[in-house]
Amino acid sequence: VEKFKGIIPAFYACYDETGDVSEARTKALCSYLFDKGVQGLYVGGSSGECIYQNLEERKATLKYVAESMKGKLILIAHVGAPSTRESVELAKYAEELGYDALSAIPPIYFKLPESSIYKYWTSIMDATGLPFIIYNIPQTTGYNLSLNLFGKLIENKKVIGVKNSSMPALDIERFKAAGGENFIVFNGPDEQYVSGRLIGADAGIGGTYAAMPELYLKAEQYVSTGNFAKARSIQKDINDLIIALCSLNGNMYSAIKEVLKLRGVNVGSVRGPLEPVTGDDLETKIPAIRDMIDAAIA
Ligand code: NAY
């Protein structure tokens, strides 16, 4: 369980100029994040644009990341997909590749009863010998994990943690209290990394970590050494940056990818239905955000 603690960026979809998954760019992002000192990678989640990729593309990404980082970083494969069959196929493939753990969102599109959600997650867990991390992200899935279903899930010893992206910090506290000392709660909302850690999160997985890993690593260092004034000050810098990234035309991930190009790693852009940043936002606001990151790191 200890090995999963730390700053774990949610990995981005890495595309070439035509929008195909790029092996070279996937591996370049791996090296970039490894060099920054992060503890692991969460591959193929929301930030990986998983819902907009087909099975072959998702498998290719899982494979390139494993080839590049197996044994160097903790690797978590997000295998949530529209159908149980696809999720199970991805789970088995991730196990073959040597991933350290699996994770999945609940079923999407139809509003299913908790009995079906339980069955979906359990089918994934039964498919491999890997540990499992529940992914609770009600703002995108429409389902908010109840303490009742949570209690049933953690009876399964494969469930080692939850990545909680709901906004109430209280949820993190409740999952930690119910899960116990050896159960890992990952903070989901990057805007509340410091508060999440203080109220019970053991570690963090986030969609903006890879854009500015230095800041989250510093925030973690301040939290773990009890320097709360400094931790809070970094959280403010992070939140100014997240708000700036979300205020441009195009999608937040396209803004992050443009910032990454200026930071020295090119992972292409986003694919439809996500839209790229364009015009003045691209020409002047992206460089300004890069400068904000540099200033916050300094
Ligand atoms: C993943 O699976 O890729 C993530 O961990 C992403 C979680 C993100 N939530 C959403 C809705 O995208 O990290 C957050 C988010 O990017 C961050 O809090 C900024 O709003």
Side-chain angles (χ1 to χ4, degrees), residues 8-12 42 44-49 78 105 135 137 139-140 163 165 167 187-192 205-209 216 242 246 252-253 256:
I8 303 186
F11 201 77
Y12 304 130
Y42 187 85
S46 324
S47 307
E49 300 171 42
H78 176 264
I105 49 170
Y135 188 177
I137 181 160
Q139 57 274 53
T140 60
K163 161 167 155 49
S165 292
M167 290 312 281
N187 182 77
D190 301 356
E191 300 86 339
Q192 303 178 10
I205 297 172
T208 64
Y209 293 6
Y216 290 98
I242 293 176
C246 293
M252 179 187 82
Y253 294 112
I256 287 177

Side-chain angles (χ1 to χ4, degrees), residues 47-265:
S47 307
E49 300 171 42
C50 66
I51 277 324
Y52 302 138
Q53 290 192 341
N54 67 36
L55 218 51
E56 292 320 306
E57 294 174 318
R58 294 184 64 177
K59 284 184 174 177
T61 300
L62 287 171
K63 175 167 173 271
Y64 303 148
V65 172
E67 283 172 357
S68 150
M69 288 296 141
K70 179 69 207 142
K72 293 170 97 176
L73 291 178
I74 289 300
L75 299 180
I76 304 169
H78 176 264
V79 300
S83 73
T84 304
R85 271 192 181 205
E86 289 168 294
S87 303
V88 163
E89 190 175 330
L90 282 171
K92 289 184 169 159
Y93 187 62
E95 183 176 46
E96 270 173 44
L97 292 171
Y99 274 73
D100 297 285
L102 301 173
S103 182
I105 49 170
I108 52 169
Y109 191 63
F110 287 124
K111 301 283 165 267
L112 300 178
E114 286 199 331
S115 56
S116 305
I117 299 173
Y118 175 78
K119 201 162 174 191
Y120 169 73
W121 273 328
T122 303
S123 302
I124 296 173
M125 287 189 252
D126 289 347
T128 81
L130 291 177
F132 185 77
I133 297 162
I134 307 162
Y135 188 177
N136 185 43
I137 181 160
Q139 57 274 53
T140 60
T141 63
Y143 170 72
N144 195 12
L145 179 60
S146 69
L147 279 169
N148 187 42
L149 180 55
F150 179 78
K152 256 184 93 180
L153 287 162
I154 61 175
E155 285 172 16
N156 186 330
K157 290 292 155 250
K158 282 185 178 157
V159 180
I160 58 159
V162 62
K163 161 167 155 49
N164 188 65
S165 292
S166 67
M167 290 312 281
L170 174 63
D171 292 351
I172 285 176
E173 189 277 330
R174 288 289 85 190
F175 291 141
K176 183 65 189 174
E181 202 44 49
N182 289 318
F183 183 84
I184 317 162
V185 178
F186 294 92
N187 182 77
D190 301 356
E191 300 86 339
Q192 303 178 10
Y193 180 79
V194 170
S195 0
R197 282 282 282 116
L198 291 189
I199 208 165
D202 305 283
I205 297 172
T208 64
Y209 293 6
M212 40 186 162
E214 300 89 343
L215 298 183
Y216 290 98
L217 288 163
K218 238 198 222 180
E220 175 52 35
Q221 195 195 321
Y222 288 136
V223 168
S224 54
T225 54
N227 199 337
F228 300 127
K230 286 207 162 144
R232 192 175 148 205
S233 157
I234 293 207
Q235 184 73 66
K236 182 206 171 283
D237 291 341
I238 287 172
N239 292 356
D240 288 345
L241 280 157
I242 293 176
I243 288 163
L245 285 166
C246 293
S247 71
L248 310 190
N249 63 27
N251 171 270
M252 179 187 82
Y253 294 112
S254 65
I256 287 177
K257 288 175 177 187
E258 294 305 330
V259 168
L260 276 177
K261 285 177 197 167
L262 299 183
R263 299 204 74 203
V265 61

Side-chain angles (χ1 to χ4, degrees), residues 18-64:
T18 64
D20 288 332
V21 170
S22 162
E23 176 174 354
R25 288 178 174 183
T26 301
K27 292 183 174 175
L29 182 59
C30 286
S31 307
Y32 178 84
L33 293 170
F34 177 77
D35 290 345
K36 297 285 181 194
V38 304
Q39 274 72 37
L41 299 173
Y42 187 85
V43 187
S46 324
S47 307
E49 300 171 42
C50 66
I51 277 324
Y52 302 138
Q53 290 192 341
N54 67 36
L55 218 51
E56 292 320 306
E57 294 174 318
R58 294 184 64 177
K59 284 184 174 177
T61 300
L62 287 171
K63 175 167 173 271
Y64 303 148

